[in-house]
């Protein structure tokens, strides 16, 4: 199993930036893939960015060019840098890890984009 702890959410104005962090309870080397998902009020959870840790990252069309997923191996942390935020980016953002064919989720962090 793996526990995931997200942080970095908050209230930001349209056009602003936020950086989300996710710390897994085990090393990246034991995790086959990680990703960020989001769920807006009244909507289904959707993928934002996913990566197989030895491969490239795939982004949702709605965030391409604005969001960047990265990792810091020394800190065992995955980030989601979000720029040019829009009101429609408002959602609870969840970190996901895939280990041994099973998916694990953090509790989520709320991002609100509003003036």
């Amino acid at each position: 199993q793996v526990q995931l702890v997200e942080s970095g959410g908050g209230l930001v104005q349209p056009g602003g930036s936020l950086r989300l962090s996710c710390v897994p309870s085990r090393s990246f080397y034991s995790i086959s893939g990680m990703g960020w998902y989001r769920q807006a009020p009244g909507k289904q959870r959707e993928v934002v960015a996913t990566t197989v840790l030895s491969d490239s990252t795939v982004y949702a069309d709605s965030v391409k060019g604005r969001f960047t997923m990265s990792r810091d191996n020394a800190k065992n942390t995955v980030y989601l840098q979000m720029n040019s935020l829009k009101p429609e980016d408002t959602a609870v953002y969840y970190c996901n890890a895939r280990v041994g064919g099973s998916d694990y989720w953090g509790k989520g962090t709320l991002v609100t984009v509003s003036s």
Side-chain angles (χ1 to χ4, degrees):
Q1 291 192 354
V2 58
Q3 286 75 49
L4 303 165
V5 179
E6 305 105 329
S7 62
L11 173 64
V12 62
Q13 292 186 342
S17 298
L18 280 176
R19 188 177 75 164
L20 306 183
S21 300
C22 173
V23 181
S25 61
R26 57 195 295 177
S27 168
F28 286 139
Y29 300 104
S30 64
I31 297 174
S32 56
M34 293 197 72
W36 287 96
Y37 291 70
R38 67 185 181 186
Q39 187 167 16
K43 295 187 177 180
Q44 290 187 332
R45 190 173 299 187
E46 63 178 4
V47 62
V48 175
T50 58
T51 184
V52 174
L53 293 184
S54 60
D55 211 336
S56 60
T57 302
V58 178
Y59 296 94
D61 287 344
S62 58
V63 307
K64 281 181 182 176
R66 300 188 297 122
F67 291 11
T68 303
M69 181 176 174
S70 63
R71 74 180 192 192
D72 185 327
N73 291 335
K75 296 182 178 180
N76 205 53
T77 301
V78 172
Y79 301 101
L80 183 68
Q81 178 67 44
M82 306 185 293
N83 299 327
S84 303
L85 283 160
K86 305 175 181 180
E88 51 263 42
D89 294 318
T90 295
V92 177
Y93 284 71
Y94 297 91
C95 182
N96 166 270
R98 172 151 291 194
V99 178
S102 297
D103 282 310
Y104 297 89
W105 300 91
K107 293 182 178 180
T109 184
L110 176 63
V111 173
T112 303
V113 185
S114 176
S115 54

